[in-house]
Amino acid sequence: MRFSESWLREWVNPQISTDQLSHQLSMAGLEVDSVELAAPMFSGVVVGEIVEREKHPDADKLGVCQVDIGAEENLQIVCGASNAAAGMKVAVATVGAKLPGDFKIKKAKLRGVRSLGMICSASELGLAESSSGIMSLPADSELGQDFRDFMALDDALIEVDLTPDRGDCLSLAGIAREVSVINQADLCAPKIE
């Protein structure tokens, strides 16, 4: 069974680290097979909005976008995604950003047009194996917000190998009860209406 640590901590939140939590689960007979990051490490990516998109003067498949990231001035970004459109909220890697694969975003000129960042797809951020265009975010997304915070990506995924005799732990509620007992911590099941 695989679950999110942050989801477990909504139910029970003892003041212990992820490593200590994994050790406790293993010692309780719930062997932890793996602990992985929910998303690869990247930095310098924020929520932005494409304010305007024009055709690139020297390339048929490129567009020149004006992107608002909540700063004083909009960023001009050259983008090749066909689904990029004005009014779309997107993930924007700013100059200096580090993306998965040790890819660093720099000021660039693409076919003679200055580009000050990159509008990202899910695959470029390591969130999907492949993607057919840039990732569209909800319309109410806050401009300039750190993308990792917006998507709650600073989380761990814990995989537990359950034995047939531990049917009581075949759900997150069951694992939360176990963690609650081990740590003598309060169990706070979410209220469902």
Side-chain angles (χ1 to χ4, degrees):
M1 183 171 108
R2 188 173 178 166
F3 59 91
S4 160
E5 180 183 2
S6 64
W7 189 21
L8 175 66
R9 289 186 183 270
E10 287 177 19
W11 287 71
V12 60
N13 192 9
Q15 299 303 310
I16 59 174
S17 69
T18 303
D19 290 338
Q20 291 170 317
L21 176 64
S22 298
H23 179 73
Q24 285 181 348
L25 289 171
S26 290
M27 292 297 104
L30 306 171
E31 182 182 345
V32 174
D33 281 345
S34 67
V35 178
E36 303 171 356
L37 294 175
M41 291 305 300
F42 58 82
S43 63
V45 180
V46 297
V47 175
E49 179 179 6
I50 300 173
V51 178
E52 180 182 343
R53 183 179 195 269
E54 297 176 352
K55 190 173 184 282
H56 191 289
D58 293 331
D60 291 338
K61 295 187 178 184
L62 295 178
V64 180
C65 300
Q66 299 299 320
V67 181
D68 182 3
I69 60 166
E72 290 180 20
E73 293 184 21
N74 292 343
L75 299 178
Q76 178 174 289
I77 299 176
V78 177
C79 179
S82 60
N83 68 328
M88 188 177 193
K89 296 277 180 95
V90 293
V92 179
T94 57
V95 173
K98 292 181 182 176
L99 300 183
D102 203 29
F103 184 70
K104 295 178 184 153
I105 302 299
K106 301 175 185 169
K107 293 180 185 178
K109 273 194 175 180
L110 298 168
R111 298 242 177 149
V113 176
R114 185 175 62 133
S115 185
L116 300 173
M118 183 171 105
I119 301 172
C120 301
S121 69
S123 60
E124 290 165 335
L125 296 174
L127 302 177
E129 291 291 322
S130 64
S131 49
S132 59
I134 58 173
M135 182 174 24
S136 180
L137 303 178
D140 62 348
S141 305
E142 181 184 335
L143 294 180
Q145 182 179 10
D146 183 270
F147 187 74
R148 289 191 76 83
D149 293 340
F150 172 73
M151 295 291 286
L153 296 176
D154 293 324
D155 193 7
L157 301 177
I158 301 172
E159 187 168 352
V160 176
D161 186 19
L162 295 170
T163 55
D165 64 330
R166 292 307 309 260
D168 60 317
C169 291
L170 285 172
S171 67
L172 188 72
I175 291 179
R177 280 193 303 269
E178 194 75 17
V179 171
S180 173
V181 169
I182 293 168
N183 291 285
Q184 299 177 354
D186 293 334
L187 181 66
C188 304
K191 302 225 185 302
I192 300 172
E193 296 182 23

